Structure formats: structure tokens, C-alpha cells
Amino acid sequence: MKMKLFQTLLLLAVVFGGSFTIQAQTYTALQDLNISLSEQTYAAPVKNRSVTGEELSIGGESFSDGIGVHSNSVIKIKMNNGSHFSAKIGVNDSKIDYESENIKTIPLTDGKRIFYEVTPSKKQFVGVEGQDGMVDQGSVIFKLVHNGEEIYQSGIMRKGDAAKTIDLDVKGGVLELIVEDAGDGPSGDHAVWAEPKIEFFEIAPVIKPGDFVGEKAEQKSEVREYLLGKLSKLKAVELPLAQPNYDWLIDHSSAKAEVFKNGEDNLVLSNGLIARTFKLSPNLATIDFTNLMTGETLLRAVSSEGVLTIDGRSYDIGGLSPQSEYGYTLMKWTEELMATQNSFQIQDFEVKEITDRLAWKRVRWAMNKEMPSGKEVVFTLEKEGVLVKVHFALYDGIPTLSKWIEVINDSDLIVQLNSFKLEQLAMVEGENLVGTPENWVKPNIHVQTDYAFGGMQQKTSQETVFWEKDPRYTTQTNYPLNLPCLLEVKPPLGPETAIAVGDTLSTFRVWELPMDSRDEERNGLFIRKMYRTISPWTTENPIFLHLTSTDPKVVKTAVDQCAEVGYEMIILSFGSGMDMEDESPENYAKFRELREYANSKGIELGGYSLLSSRWISEEVDVINPETGKRGGMIFGSSPCLSSEWGYDYFIKIKKFFDQTGMQVFENDGSYPGNVCASTSHAHHNGLGDSQWKQYAQIQGLYQWMRAEGIYMNVPDFYINSGTNKTGIGYREVNWSLPRERHLMHGRLNIYDGLWDRIPSMCWTFVPLTQYHGGGAAATLEPLKDHLKDYENHMMQNYGSGVQACYRGPRLYDAPETKELVKEVIGWYKEYRNILNSDIIHLRRPSGKDWDGFMHANPALKEKGLAMFFNPTDKEMVREIKLPLYYTGLTDEAKVREKEGKSVNYTLDREYNIHLKVIIPANSYTWYVIE
């Protein structure tokens, strides 16, 4: 009891600011804060480098962490619960050759010139002209000002001087880190705050914008008149919009995207399920994002359309501010907000139909052969000769909004896009807590991009969606202001890429999908319907064999067998002897002849190639930024795709397909997201652009293949970049276990793997021959001796709609085996549409009782098909509650076991029926719902 009382007093002391507390001090490194908010006369502050892009070095002493600035500079820090500041300071040891042919200059209004190092792929600020027409050595004075009072001054510091140390108690208030020129002008004043950090308790310090506002963002009257005139031609709508009176998962025919006007200067993009409202004057901003399915707003506060960091300076894309309250918004406040300073300004907008985002050559069966339809709105903004086109695509039929940005250099000089935030939305928090949990409940919205790598599932491959703290939201319940309620969509690194005059850089795309419940199945259906719509090539689902040999005799025998039983494709597997990097005429001729033979029998043919997870050489492999050497990366080491080897690999792969006409590509070890610190690779400049440019390489290959009609199995989540399948998720060594355990693990993988992916997006595995050991007990060969196991594998896989890699030298070895395979494939093709429809999870496999799943599709004659499995050695008789809501049936269902006679069932008030089921021992049964 005394201990509980002590804990209570301790908690109250923390919450109410008492002295009875145990304070856990924490440090924050200043370079990890938003240094772009600070003010600086020339260029912009740089993280962990000099302002000129060089390594940090003061008086010969090197530093890995810090901030490079240029006089005059002010970094203004709201200390919150900060209590101590420390750093080392000095002028950077610059070694730039200002007479190099890569050095370019542009004049300033005061007659001085700014120096840049410019290559075709990079632009870097390197200095300001001094007295003799070049860049001076530099001299600066460092100052610290706390709440308006100077508390430290360094005296004059020059290039070559040893670093000085600052170590001061500074509690709360506002701390300003100031660098001034020493009276001899700013040239060469490349100052460094090395290893700067602040000690704090609970509420971390933040950098706040300085007093410098630069050019006032003000909409020209002619632009306003043009925009409002264009807006006035749209159909008017009143807010709030009505909630839909239908469930789009059952019937989405009424969900049509349209663009409206609201009031004088608001544009509304809505499809009846979601709506995003933009204000066009005094600048572009999102003032509401509404989940019409629930009637709730997704936003706490008005938000800009993202942030671009160009040549080291950050600019909002549109935006309105300041807002006095960030916990909620009254719409009348939006009329009083001003255009955010130093922001891109809206110039125009366009409304058009959605266009295909990539080419898809349709050459085989697909559940959905249509690309999505809907409306696209394109906003054009401008600042200092740089144009930004912000694209929004709202789809018909699904509550999904997509966004991407084009940055167009219409200026007179190359510009460097250091980084971007595609979205920066002030979202309503998922939960409110006084303390900080290990894991927060996030807002109920699914967000993903096509910039994903390194995992078979979207969740583990997504590197671009961040839920950040919002320091402006000071009225939140959480005491340390730790709510993750600012949605930022951005690359984890870079792109740090130059945009030449007249050129355009396009970002990746984001898809935003609000949910209307927390139900796991319903949320999964939202995501699965999204994939079927936005990436319909994932609904291709050919029946294929994973062949373990490239011996022409074996391949042709396998082709003949596939044709006999109704298979559609052969993939020449790993270990088969296929080498797509072999450019010899003999290699091309061999596989062209095999492909022609397969096609003559109605079978598509392709094969396997390994990209990453291999060591090439010191010159080729990705360089670890921590060691400066290869190794210690994902898969240990991998080739850099932006090296010459990487470029050659893609050329060889394309050439192989051009020369042979192959129709399938299984790309193992696809790009996993490695960064590369090499500065000698031919096709990237260093660490900053390494991830961006490698991803562009792999994405370009997959999009080319999609346009060529080539089917792609890739064990990473490149689904939205054009690939067809990824692994469902399994442990490969499990296939060395005894056969009866394969079946259970296979169904577990299917049940767990299809919550947020559709069956045709995934492959599973069946070892016809030995794989990772296990001997005869783990393999199906000889097939004629294990017909029941073979049948069970096929039925649970084809019954779920998930194709397996049946890996071996043949499909059958006896007439009875052939008949079995032919019968199963015939059944699958008869029910192909419903078996490729969405899965409803019934019961997870446990080994103790029945397990199963059901397909549902209200658009088909067969509204549902349920599969039930019995893992025990005794026949089961069960009464099973079958949920039919997602079949679209409301009153009555006709249900038949296999091809038997239909029985009528009346649905209860929760759309269920109760079905008596007999499941044979160690077997299965299936039912059709009409």
C-alpha cells in the first residue's frame, strides 16, 4: 500500500510540475532538428557537412556531426525543457579550387557574385565573392543570445584557428545561435557548430522560424481573378457533403469522382466516399480532408501541399498561416489566414480525367483488365523560376486519393532538389494520452507509396510514411507533446538530385485510403480493393510450374505435360542453369527455341535471375557509409545499381528478353533499399542520391516489362511499380519438414498472408523434389506414391487462389497422377473468378479442429465459395456459422456442397447462415453460395 502511494505521488508530481520527481535527462543533437527553419543570408544550413558541402573540419580537427552555416546566420531554438547547451565552434577548413572549370557564378543585386560548383548532375554552393574577386579566408564571431541577453561571444575566429568549446547551462526560453561576419564582409565565412546538443527533460527543444520573412507571399490580383473565374465554371456544392447511404464494398457504382466549387474560392474533390477541400486564395492549401463514410474530418489544421528543399532552402508548397489553434479548425478561421511566407504561389489549376500511370500490355487472363477511372486535378505553383505541378487523382469506386508532384526548372541555372515532403498533413490524432506509450494508435487511414523496397509485405517495405510530432500543437493532451499526428510522406534520403534548366523531376506517388472501422477483415478488404483498382495487373494469375532444369529434353517434356493438364506457364527456376547475363548467341538461340516450342503448345516460358545478395567487387558493390567499405549492408553486400555493373545488368536483362522473346521474369534479390556512399560510381554522386537513383533503375526495368507484357515474380513489394507477385511469406526450411506438416504450414501462410493482399499477388511453395533437405519424407516425388498429399496441396492452394511454385522436373509421373492434376486444374478454371475474389477469413489453422476461408464477390453468379479443411485423422461433422455479408446477399442464399443439389438458407439479421458440414479425415470439402 505504501509503495502504491509513493507511485501515485510520483506521478502527480510529474504531471503537475512538482519537484518530487525523478528526471531522466535526454540529449538532442541540433543537426537532427529542422534546421531549414533558421535564417541565413547566403545558401542554407547544412547537416553534418560544411555549408560548402565539404567534410566538417576546424583547425585540422575532423567532426562527423554538426551544422555548417554562413554568416550572417541565426538558429533560433525554443528550448522548452532544455537545460544545457554544448558545442565546438570554428571556421571550416575549406579546400575548394575556385579556378576549377566546374565553378560557376551568378551575380547578386549588390554586385557581388555567388560561387557554385556545377556538374550535369549536381549543384553545390561554395562561397560568396570577396575583395579580390575570389572567396576570402573568412572570419566570424559566434554568439549565444538567451531570451534577448547575450550569454556568450567567441571573439573573432578565422580559418585555421583551433575549435573553441561552449558548455553552458541554459534553461528554457529561446536560445539564438548567431554567427556574424567579423566586420570584413561575409566572404569565406563558412562557420561550423560541431557536435551541438541540448540536454532536456521530457519536452524536446525545437527550432522555430526566425524573424526574417524574405519576400512577402502575396497573391497578385490578376492571378486571383483568373483562378476564381475558372473556379466559378465548376458545379457548386454546399459543405458538409452528405454521407453515402450504401456500402461501397458491396456496390461502388455510385462512387464517381467529381470536382466542385464551394463558396468563392474553395475547390472540392470528392467521389462521395472521401473529399478533399482546397482554398485557392490567398494561396493554395488543403483546408479539409473528410472521410464521408464516417462523416468525420481527418485534419486538425490547415495544411500546405508539402515542402521542397531547393539549393538548401525549404519552401512550403502553398500554405496558409498562422493558425492560432492546431487542435481543431473553425472554417471561418480559414478566411483570415495569410499566405505562408517564402512559399510557392498558385498560378493555375486544371481538371481532367485520370490517365494510366504506366503502360500495361494485356496478354493473359486477369480478374480485372481495366485501368482505374476518375478525376485528376493539377495545381501549378511558382517561385523564382521553379514550377511545381501538384497532381491529385481521385478514383471512381474506392475511397482512395493519390498524389504526386512534378518539379520543373524554368529558371536560368541548374537547381538542386535536396529533399521533398510530398505530404505534410496536420491529422487528427489516433488517440490522446497524457503519457507516452511504446506504440501509439495511429489515425485510421492507410497510406502507402510506390517507393517501397526490402520486404514481401507493404508494411515492412514502406520507407516513406512518417507519423511525426507537431510542435505547433501545444494544446494536445500529451504532456511532452509526443503525439504522432503530423503525417509526412517523404523519401528517407535525398533525392539530392540536380534538375537541369528545362528539365522535370517527378516524385513517387502516395495513395491515401481512410477506413470506416477498426475491423481487421473490413480494413483488409479496403486495401485489397485498392490494389485491384490501382494496380490491376496484380489480378493476372497464371498457372505455372517451377522447373528445375534447362535441359532442352526436360523442358520440352514439361511443356508437353503442362499443355496436357491445362497449365499456362513455366518458370525456369533457380538452380536450373539459366543465365540471363550470358550474351552469347548460343545462349540466346537455346532459350529462343525453347520459348518458341512452349508457345506452340500454348505455354508461356521465362526464368530466374539473381540481382542483389551477391558480392561482385570492391569497385561495384555498395559502400557502407559507416565504414567507407563494402559489407555490413542488407544481405551483407550487394552491387550498386548505379555503378557501371548495375547499368550493364539492366541492359543485359532487357537484351535477353528482346533476343529470346521470354515472357516471365523472376527477379530474386531485387533492390532492397541499400544506400551507397561511393563517390566513384558512374551514375550517382554520393550517399545523398544513391537510394533515389538505384530505385529509379529497378523501377524503370519493371515498368518496361509491364509495358512488354512480361509476367514478374519478385520477392519484394514492387507491386505498385508494375510487378505481379511477391511471396506470401514462408520459412523456406519448413519445406524440409515431413509432408503432413507442409500442408498445415501452407494453410497458415495463406490465412495470415491474405489479410492485406489479394490471392493473385502472392505465391507459395510446394517442393515436388527435395528442397533444403528432409529427404523422402519431405518430398512429393515419386508423385504417384503421394497422390493424396499432392491433391491436398493443390486444393488448398488453388482453392485460395494462391499459385504455388510447384518446384520439380515434371507435373506427373503416371496416368493416375496426370488425371489428378487435370481434374484439379479443370475445377480451378471452372471457378476461377470466384477463387480469385477476396478472401473472408473463417478460422485459422490450429491442428485441433477445422479451419477454412471463403471467397466472396457480389458481382458474380457464384457469390461465394467456402473451403473447409480437416487436419485430423477422423471425419468431422460441424455446424459452421458462415458470414455472407460481403457476398451481397441479404435475405436468402442457395448453397450446395461441391456439385450437389442447392439448399436454400435464410440469412439472419447479421447476414449469417448456419451450415452443417462433413469434412473427411485429413482432407477437405467445398461449398458454393449463389
Side-chain angles (χ1 to χ4, degrees):
M1 184 61 123
K2 289 182 179 179
M3 179 58 71
K4 288 185 178 180
L5 177 61
F6 174 80
Q7 291 172 339
T8 302
L9 290 172
L10 181 61
L11 175 61
L12 290 173
V14 172
V15 171
F16 294 108
S19 59
F20 191 122
T21 184
I22 299 173
Q23 296 193 358
Q25 299 291 338
T26 307
Y27 293 91
T28 187
L30 257 61
Q31 68 270 14
D32 293 334
L33 302 181
N34 188 3
I35 61 176
S36 67
L37 292 176
S38 54
E39 61 185 67
Q40 190 165 296
T41 307
Y42 301 101
V46 178
K47 174 180 176 178
N48 298 336
R49 307 287 287 184
S50 162
V51 72
T52 62
E54 298 170 275
E55 293 184 0
L56 296 178
S57 176
I58 303 172
E61 182 180 1
S62 297
F63 301 90
S64 58
D65 303 321
I67 303 173
V69 299
H70 196 292
S71 71
N72 292 306
S73 165
V74 179
I75 302 175
K76 190 172 289 189
I77 304 164
K78 184 179 180 182
M79 292 288 284
N80 291 324
N81 286 355
S83 60
H84 192 91
F85 172 78
S86 62
K88 292 187 176 182
I89 56 174
V91 178
N92 206 68
D93 299 325
S94 180
K95 298 179 181 179
I96 293 170
D97 177 9
Y98 289 97
E99 295 184 352
S100 166
E101 61 180 14
N102 290 335
I103 300 298
K104 310 294 181 184
T105 64
I106 61 171
L108 298 173
T109 55
D110 62 2
K112 298 289 186 182
R113 296 177 298 162
I114 292 184
F115 289 75
Y116 290 98
E117 183 178 11
V118 179
T119 69
S121 59
K122 188 175 182 180
K123 171 187 172 186
Q124 172 66 53
F125 169 86
V126 292
V128 178
E129 183 180 6
Q131 298 299 319
D132 59 357
M134 298 301 289
V135 176
D136 297 338
Q137 291 296 303
S139 60
V140 300
I141 297 173
F142 291 83
K143 294 180 179 180
L144 293 184
V145 175
H146 184 228
N147 294 336
E149 178 183 349
E150 184 176 303
I151 60 172
Y152 175 85
Q153 187 191 100
S154 66
I156 297 176
M157 299 192 71
R158 295 181 172 84
K159 179 181 174 182
D161 290 349
K164 292 184 178 181
T165 299
I166 302 175
D167 195 24
L168 295 173
D169 288 332
V170 185
K171 294 186 178 180
V174 175
L175 178 65
E176 297 175 63
L177 279 59
I178 299 171
V179 176
E180 297 177 347
D181 71 69
D184 57 355
S187 184
D189 291 353
H190 307 155
V192 174
W193 298 92
E195 300 174 351
K197 61 183 180 181
I198 295 175
E199 186 178 352
F200 72 93
F201 170 68
E202 283 197 327
I203 304 179
V206 295
I207 294 178
K208 57 180 293 186
D211 298 326
F212 175 73
V213 295
E215 179 186 353
K216 186 176 181 181
E218 202 166 53
Q219 193 170 60
K220 295 179 180 179
S221 58
E222 58 268 29
V223 172
R224 173 181 165 83
E225 290 175 10
Y226 171 75
L227 293 171
L228 299 190
K230 202 168 184 178
L231 188 63
S232 68
K233 297 176 183 178
L234 299 176
K235 180 182 176 181
V237 69
E238 292 296 321
L239 300 179
L241 297 175
Q243 290 183 241
N245 59 2
Y246 57 89
D247 186 344
W248 73 275
L249 287 174
I250 307 299
D251 181 4
H252 60 217
S253 59
S254 298
K256 297 294 185 183
E258 295 186 70
V259 184
F260 307 96
K261 70 170 182 177
N262 168 253
E264 183 184 30
D265 58 3
N266 294 341
L267 182 148
V268 181
L269 179 58
S270 175
N271 64 1
L273 301 173
I274 58 174
R276 187 150 169 168
T277 303
F278 306 89
K279 195 170 181 61
L280 304 189
S281 181
N283 204 357
L284 175 67
T286 293
I287 60 173
D288 203 7
F289 190 4
T290 312
N291 182 344
L292 297 176
M293 297 171 290
T294 62
E296 295 180 325
T297 183
L298 299 167
L299 294 188
R300 294 176 287 105
V302 173
S303 300
S304 72
E305 298 311 329
V307 180
L308 299 181
T309 302
I310 298 175
D311 293 339
R313 290 184 180 270
S314 293
Y315 306 94
D316 282 273
I317 303 171
L320 301 173
S321 58
Q323 188 166 328
S324 57
E325 169 62 59
Y326 284 90
Y328 66 93
T329 301
L330 296 179
M331 292 302 279
K332 66 180 181 180
W333 294 350
T334 66
E335 301 301 323
E336 303 166 1
L337 299 177
M338 305 295 292
T340 301
Q341 301 292 350
N342 298 316
S343 60
F344 279 82
Q345 297 290 296
I346 185 171
Q347 306 295 317
D348 199 359
F349 73 89
E350 177 186 8
V351 177
K352 59 183 182 178
E353 299 296 318
I354 285 179
T355 54
D356 296 349
R357 76 176 192 274
L358 53 83
W360 172 29
K361 185 177 181 181
R362 299 152 177 83
V363 296
R364 61 187 63 85
W365 183 92
M367 186 75 176
N368 177 21
K369 289 193 173 183
E370 300 299 324
M371 291 292 278
S373 59
K375 294 291 184 183
E376 182 179 337
V377 178
V378 187
F379 298 103
T380 301
L381 300 92
E382 186 273 341
K383 184 171 180 62
E384 297 175 0
V386 177
L387 299 180
V388 177
K389 289 187 178 291
V390 184
H391 297 254
F392 289 92
L394 182 62
Y395 300 98
D396 293 333
I398 60 173
T400 304
L401 181 69
S402 183
K403 181 182 182 182
W404 68 100
I405 289 172
E406 295 177 280
V407 183
I408 305 165
N409 184 5
D410 202 27
S411 70
D412 297 326
L413 188 66
I414 189 174
V415 297
Q416 189 84 5
L417 181 62
N418 311 107
S419 63
F420 64 83
K421 295 177 181 177
L422 180 54
E423 283 279 43
Q424 192 179 50
L425 294 176
M427 302 288 286
V428 172
E429 56 267 37
E431 66 176 334
N432 260 307
L433 297 172
V434 174
T436 301
E438 184 175 348
N439 294 297
W440 288 91
V441 174
K442 301 298 196 306
N444 198 16
I445 183 173
H446 177 80
V447 182
Q448 73 174 87
T449 73
D450 57 354
Y451 193 73
F453 31 72
M456 290 185 179
Q457 289 90 10
Q458 182 270 333
K459 185 175 183 178
T460 53
S461 67
Q462 193 64 69
E463 303 286 343
T464 54
V465 178
F466 299 84
W467 291 98
E468 305 286 11
K469 305 170 189 177
D470 189 346
R472 305 168 303 173
Y473 185 9
T474 57
T475 55
Q476 63 185 258
T477 301
N478 184 256
Y479 183 73
L481 307 182
N482 281 336
L483 272 177
C485 55
L486 188 66
L487 171 62
E488 294 191 343
V489 180
K490 57 191 177 184
L493 180 69
E496 201 60 61
T497 297
I499 308 174
V501 175
D503 280 359
T504 299
L505 182 144
S506 295
T507 68
F508 50 75
R509 298 191 183 212
V510 63
W511 288 271
E512 298 162 0
L513 173 63
M515 305 294 183
D516 65 359
S517 80
R518 295 279 182 178
D519 177 74
E520 185 176 18
E521 189 79 88
R522 188 167 178 84
N523 286 356
L525 285 166
F526 270 51
I527 296 169
R528 288 176 255 158
K529 297 288 189 185
M530 180 190 72
Y531 290 134
R532 292 182 186 276
T533 303
I534 68 172
S535 300
W537 47 85
T538 62
T539 68
E540 295 182 356
N541 202 13
I543 307 166
F544 62 84
L545 168 67
H546 234 229
L547 192 62
T548 53
S549 174
T550 56
D551 180 276
K553 183 178 179 180
V554 175
V555 174
K556 290 180 179 180
T557 298
V559 167
D560 293 341
Q561 286 196 349
C562 286
E564 284 287 326
V565 299
Y567 265 58
E568 298 164 339
M569 180 180 286
I570 292 175
I571 302 175
L572 300 174
S573 182
F574 49 91
S576 66
M578 169 170 271
D579 183 3
M580 294 186 183
E581 298 169 55
D582 179 356
E583 296 181 278
S584 68
E586 296 79 13
N587 191 53
Y588 292 149
K590 173 184 175 179
F591 289 106
R592 181 170 56 250
E593 193 274 332
L594 290 175
R595 191 270 307 162
E596 289 172 347
Y597 181 81
N599 288 177
S600 73
K601 300 284 186 171
I603 305 299
E604 293 187 290
L605 184 65
Y608 171 96
S609 178
L610 179 65
L611 175 52
S612 293
S613 65
R614 54 196 281 198
W615 296 65
I616 305 299
S617 69
E618 296 282 353
E619 295 74 28
V620 165
D621 288 358
V622 291
I623 298 301
N624 189 326
E626 295 182 4
T627 64
K629 301 178 181 179
R630 66 175 181 160
M633 305 296 286
I634 303 168
F635 305 138
S637 189
S638 291
C640 177
L641 307 193
S642 290
S643 65
E644 286 290 3
W645 182 96
Y647 262 54
D648 287 346
Y649 175 85
F650 292 107
I651 291 170
K652 289 175 181 177
I653 296 299
K654 287 184 178 181
K655 185 178 178 182
F656 179 84
F657 279 88
D658 282 337
Q659 291 290 321
T660 65
M662 284 285 195
Q663 298 146 305
V664 194
F665 184 48
E666 191 163 83
N667 195 196
D668 199 5
S670 187
Y671 173 61
N674 277 313
V675 299
C676 179
S678 171
T679 56
S680 62
H681 288 166
H683 302 286
H684 74 99
N685 289 313
L687 180 64
D689 67 341
S690 62
Q691 198 174 60
W692 181 264
K693 289 183 176 174
Q694 288 185 83
Y695 188 81
Q697 279 287 97
I698 195 73
Q699 188 181 51
L701 175 67
Y702 295 153
Q703 291 182 351
W704 174 81
M705 288 190 166
R706 181 79 288 123
E708 294 293 314
I710 297 167
Y711 193 84
M712 285 171 278
N713 276 3
V714 178
D716 287 301
F717 205 84
Y718 286 89
I719 295 298
N720 292 323
S721 295
T723 65
N724 296 89
K725 264 189 185 18
T726 187
I728 198 166
Y730 50 79
R731 200 172 188 86
E732 290 185 320
V733 295
N734 285 358
W735 305 117
S736 64
L737 298 172
R739 283 185 299 276
E740 64 272 14
R741 295 174 68 179
H742 293 179
L743 292 168
M744 282 295 295
H745 281 295
R747 289 207 303 282
L748 283 166
N749 296 335
I750 288 167
Y751 195 92
D752 295 341
L754 297 182
W755 285 104
D756 55 6
R757 290 175 296 170
I758 62 177
S760 54
M761 285 170 64
C762 305
W763 77 71
T764 185
F765 195 86
V766 175
L768 302 181
T769 54
Q770 185 172 230
Y771 185 69
H772 283 283
T779 59
L780 291 173
E781 284 278 5
L783 302 174
K784 60 183 173 59
D785 294 341
H786 306 110
L787 289 180
K788 191 60 181 176
D789 288 329
Y790 198 12
E791 177 186 356
N792 284 339
H793 269 295
M794 287 190 290
M795 286 301 297
Q796 70 184 37
N797 293 331
Y798 291 119
S800 68
V802 176
Q803 298 296 332
C805 298
Y806 295 90
R807 189 170 191 271
R810 56 190 175 180
L811 281 173
Y812 56 84
D813 56 358
E816 58 269 31
T817 315
K818 176 181 177 180
E819 283 307 307
L820 171 64
V821 177
K822 192 171 183 178
E823 180 181 344
V824 173
I825 296 302
W827 171 80
Y828 172 73
K829 288 187 174 180
E830 180 180 355
Y831 292 103
R832 192 169 200 165
N833 284 329
I834 188 62
L835 291 173
N836 278 271
S837 298
D838 280 315
I839 285 279
I840 305 299
H841 295 74
L842 299 179
R843 178 182 285 182
R844 191 175 189 269
S846 68
K848 301 178 180 70
D849 204 343
W850 71 272
D851 61 87
F853 46 78
M854 180 181 72
H855 296 275
N857 191 333
L860 299 179
K861 174 180 177 291
E862 297 91 0
K863 306 296 182 184
L865 192 150
M867 300 286 301
F868 303 106
F869 302 92
N870 179 358
T872 73
D873 56 6
K874 293 182 179 179
E875 179 181 275
M876 285 184 184
V877 180
R878 297 288 186 270
E879 185 174 283
I880 297 174
K881 183 174 71 173
L882 207 56
L884 299 186
Y885 176 77
Y886 292 110
T887 67
L889 298 172
T890 56
D891 300 313
E892 191 173 78
K894 295 180 180 180
V895 183
R896 57 181 165 85
E897 183 178 11
K898 298 183 178 177
E899 301 298 348
K901 184 178 180 181
S902 293
V903 177
N904 291 344
Y905 286 82
T906 300
L907 279 64
D908 65 21
R909 293 180 63 181
E910 295 182 341
Y911 304 95
N912 301 314
I913 63 171
H914 293 266
L915 189 66
K916 185 177 180 180
V917 174
I918 301 173
I919 316 174
N922 295 307
S923 191
Y924 63 90
T925 189
W926 51 277
Y927 285 75
V928 176
I929 301 99
E930 295 176 327

